[in-house]
Amino acid sequence: MEVGIVIAYGLCLLFIFLFSLGQLHLTVQYLKSKKQIPVQPKPLQSVNFVSKKVFASEIAEIPDDSLQDMSVCPAVTIQLPLYNEMYVVERLIDTIAMIDYPKEKLEIQVLDDSTDQTVEIVARKVTVLRQQGLDIKHIRRNNRQGFKAGALEEGLTKAKGEFIAIFDADFLPNSDFLLQTIPWFEDTNIGVVQTRWGHLNRDYSLLTRLQAFGLDGHFTVEQGGRSQAGSFINFNGTGGVWRKSCIIDAGGWSADTLTEDLDLSYRAQMRGWYFKYLENVYVPAELPVFMDAIKLQQFRWNKGAAECARKHLKNILTNSASSRKFSLVNKVHAFLHLFNSSIFLFLLLAALLSIPMLFIKEAHPELDRLFKAGGIFLIGFLSIGFFYWIAARQISPHNSLRYYITTYPLFLIVTMGLSLFNTIAVAEGLLGVKTPFTRTPKFNIKSAHDKWNKNIYINQKISPVVVLELVLALYFIFGIYFGIRTGNFELIIFHIMLTIGFLAVAFFSIFQAGGLRFSKPTT
């Protein structure tokens, strides 16, 4: 029994260590990219968009008019997938209507699966904008089959554009978005141009600041590092543009995972397409403002990633069904990318086993050297810290040290507190347990004066998982006590962080369900 615990604990630490080294390598690649002279695309007016890469599926499925020589401005379709977004849909459509692009080459599809007042709001806005000469369509389905993926696929079959820009309901692109992204498609090998997410309500509360900190790491170091290394990269579901022929060649949108964006990204790259990531182009969006919404979003992302790992890993490692050869480094990064969410599983298991490990160490003092050898895993912790330091320096160059010191420890603590909920998501994904796509509610929250507690999309029921989070907090309090009593202080900081993390996550879940708001005080 004791041997099994030691082996399991060591394997968990090993996975976390290897994951950390992968993040360190991406950080090095990102820093390397910053030393290079940025490449700028040609002005849109001088770009030749005639496709040189034509697949049989394109000829069969793409309308003839989308294969014309659109050497100045190619036809673009903007897709807005919606489901019950009454608080944000009006500002979304108003923003998209201001996109700077020739009207005769621009089509807007509002893919509306809503069942509430959103339908009427959209219908009114579309009517007004059509009267103003905008080619905007309100597309409704009889059912939500396939959820977001199904809506995108339905719109794709009707889309006029050679390129498809996609924005979720809470994203507000700048008017020059297409002018900054479309020119990159002159390279006919590029199937996707992805941009960086910005944050409309970064400073609304502690929770939004911590989410922004984590996402900034992904949208600077991680995406930038993958791009520099030529590794697998992913479309982030919104704030990007697809080449229509790329979607079709990769097999179209599929709803067999909760992250249809990651799934299609891997299928497209396995077919030989390349992705372009533009860190300097960002699209502001709204962050979830209460804990249950954060958990919903995290659950979908982490479970979907695990589902994609289950679906694609074999083909990636063997290069079967692929028209593009990938190096060993690319395959390792793909493995770590697809199993990114599994870090929560191994983190939670290591945390749970850490207290039995204290008992084993107390009973077998001869193993003390073995436990001290585990200090090598500190390198992994430092690697993650370096990863987020570089991201913080990029996002907040004038106040990076203070920003990092005051945010990174709290980010780690809350991440630990979310490990139980995210572990459930990962386990379901790896085991093939299917659940429906659940949207993240949006609130049109930007400043500390904005309120959300009367939002009709809030589910005020407290999840049973919250009880388990409180139990885990008590468990790690015991770990702190036992460590102090036996003089084993190596894991005390770890157990303190876990205790605070689980208490914080449970606290927010319980009290925000009652309508309380934790943000800057209003004046």
Side-chain angles (χ1 to χ4, degrees):
M1 181 68 173
E2 291 180 345
V3 173
I5 291 174
V6 172
I7 292 174
Y9 184 68
L11 290 175
C12 289
L13 292 183
L14 179 61
F15 180 87
I16 295 171
F17 178 66
L18 294 175
F19 172 81
S20 302
L21 292 184
Q23 298 298 90
L24 178 61
H25 183 257
L26 290 178
T27 308
V28 172
Q29 292 296 318
Y30 179 73
L31 291 173
K32 186 185 298 184
S33 72
K34 290 300 174 184
K35 295 179 180 180
Q36 298 174 352
I37 299 174
V39 177
Q40 298 297 329
K42 295 178 182 179
L44 184 62
Q45 291 76 11
S46 62
V47 175
N48 182 4
F49 290 96
V50 179
S51 178
K52 303 169 188 173
K53 185 172 185 177
V54 180
F55 297 88
S57 58
E58 292 182 54
I59 299 172
E61 300 186 46
I62 300 179
D64 290 340
D65 60 350
S66 66
L67 294 175
Q68 295 179 45
D69 179 359
M70 300 178 181
S71 58
V72 178
C73 290
V76 175
T77 296
I78 297 178
Q79 292 185 324
L80 310 175
L82 304 175
Y83 177 69
N84 294 351
E85 304 288 4
M86 60 180 290
Y87 297 104
V88 296
V89 67
E90 194 162 5
R91 74 175 187 185
L92 167 69
I93 296 176
D94 285 340
T95 300
I96 298 302
M98 297 298 293
I99 290 287
D100 185 9
Y101 206 75
K103 285 186 177 181
E104 66 274 13
K105 298 293 181 68
L106 181 64
E107 174 191 39
I108 301 171
Q109 293 180 336
V110 185
L111 307 174
D112 184 12
D113 285 349
S114 301
T115 57
D116 66 359
Q117 298 175 43
T118 305
V119 180
E120 288 74 28
I121 297 172
V122 172
R124 287 197 300 269
K125 293 297 297 183
V126 168
T127 299
V128 171
L129 291 173
R130 286 185 67 86
Q131 291 172 350
Q132 296 174 2
L134 201 62
D135 183 4
I136 182 169
K137 299 175 176 65
H138 187 190
I139 299 176
R140 301 270 298 152
R141 298 192 296 163
N142 295 326
N143 56 63
R144 287 191 72 207
Q145 184 175 355
F147 304 102
K148 180 181 177 181
L152 292 172
E153 186 68 17
E154 173 87 6
L156 188 70
T157 62
K158 303 173 181 178
K160 298 178 182 178
E162 181 182 351
F163 300 99
I164 311 293
I166 300 172
F167 300 103
D168 283 349
D170 53 329
F171 279 71
L172 303 177
N174 294 323
S175 60
D176 63 350
F177 178 85
L178 293 179
L179 301 181
Q180 295 192 68
T181 54
I182 295 298
W184 291 99
F185 285 103
E186 184 179 28
D187 181 344
T188 56
N189 292 306
I190 291 179
V192 173
V193 172
Q194 174 67 55
T195 64
R196 177 167 61 90
W197 292 6
H199 314 294
L200 290 167
N201 56 340
R202 170 192 292 271
D203 295 320
Y204 176 72
S205 69
L206 173 62
L207 291 181
T208 57
R209 288 195 292 275
L210 296 182
Q211 289 175 83
F213 183 85
L215 286 170
D216 288 342
H218 171 72
F219 280 100
T220 54
V221 179
E222 190 169 356
Q223 289 286 63
R226 292 187 193 285
S227 180
Q228 170 68 22
S231 296
F232 281 92
I233 193 170
N234 62 290
F235 170 64
N236 292 104
T238 177
V241 186
W242 282 85
R243 190 186 296 270
K244 183 178 181 180
S245 56
C246 173
I247 300 175
I248 294 171
D249 180 65
W253 295 101
S254 173
D256 60 355
T257 73
L258 291 181
T259 47
E260 72 292 323
D261 46 4
L262 181 61
D263 171 42
L264 183 58
S265 296
Y266 268 78
R267 285 189 279 122
Q269 287 166 102
M270 290 290 284
R271 290 287 295 163
W273 293 95
Y274 288 81
F275 286 21
K276 180 67 181 179
Y277 178 63
L278 302 179
E279 183 186 343
N280 62 319
V281 181
Y282 74 97
V283 182
E286 181 181 316
L287 295 162
V289 294
F290 74 111
M291 183 56 71
D292 280 358
I294 296 170
K295 284 182 172 180
L296 279 175
Q297 188 178 70
Q298 293 267 313
F299 187 91
R300 189 175 69 248
W301 288 350
N302 288 302
K303 180 173 181 176
E307 289 175 326
C308 286
R310 177 187 171 100
K311 179 176 180 180
H312 294 296
L313 186 63
K314 180 180 177 181
N315 284 340
I316 290 165
L317 296 182
T318 62
N319 265 86
S320 61
S322 174
S323 62
R324 176 178 165 190
K325 299 301 179 184
F326 297 94
S327 68
L328 178 61
V329 172
N330 291 153
K331 292 180 180 181
V332 170
H333 272 302
F335 175 88
L336 294 174
H337 189 195
L338 290 172
F339 282 96
N340 194 325
S341 61
S342 297
I343 193 71
F344 291 104
L345 173 63
F346 289 98
L347 173 63
L348 182 62
L349 287 175
L352 293 173
L353 292 172
S354 64
I355 294 177
M357 288 293 292
L358 290 177
F359 281 92
I360 293 172
K361 181 180 179 182
E362 182 70 11
H364 300 279
E366 69 274 12
L367 297 178
D368 187 58
R369 288 188 178 181
L370 178 63
F371 282 94
K372 288 182 178 179
I376 190 174
F377 294 111
L378 181 63
I379 297 173
F381 177 79
L382 295 176
S383 298
I384 295 294
F386 184 56
F387 174 95
Y388 282 107
W389 159 246
I390 296 301
R393 195 177 67 178
Q394 180 67 22
I395 294 297
S396 182
H398 303 298
N399 194 26
S400 54
L401 183 60
R402 179 181 177 184
Y403 172 60
Y404 178 77
I405 291 174
T406 58
T407 310
Y408 179 57
L410 294 175
F411 171 76
L412 278 183
I413 288 170
V414 173
T415 298
M416 291 180 180
L418 286 167
S419 62
L420 173 61
F421 200 84
N422 288 334
T423 293
I424 295 171
V426 171
E428 287 189 2
L430 293 176
L431 293 172
V433 178
K434 294 298 181 182
T435 50
F437 182 100
T438 305
R439 61 180 279 279
T440 305
K442 289 91 176 179
F443 305 101
N444 197 6
I445 295 293
K446 291 178 288 185
S447 73
H449 300 278
D450 296 328
K451 299 180 183 297
W452 55 263
N453 54 308
K454 293 183 180 180
N455 188 294
I456 65 171
Y457 299 137
I458 295 176
N459 180 4
Q460 295 190 330
K461 294 181 180 179
I462 297 175
S463 167
V465 176
V466 174
V467 177
L468 294 178
E469 290 166 348
L470 292 172
V471 170
L472 285 175
L474 293 174
Y475 178 71
F476 293 114
I477 288 173
F478 171 76
I480 297 169
Y481 161 76
F482 186 79
I484 294 173
R485 188 173 71 83
T486 59
N488 292 307
F489 300 106
E490 294 91 340
L491 295 175
I492 279 186
I493 293 178
F494 183 47
H495 289 156
I496 289 174
M497 294 174 71
L498 286 162
T499 299
I500 297 173
F502 283 112
L503 284 176
V505 170
F507 176 80
F508 277 109
S509 296
I510 292 169
F511 286 91
Q512 288 187 334
L516 295 180
R517 184 163 67 94
F518 298 91
S519 63
K520 291 182 178 179
T522 58
T523 56

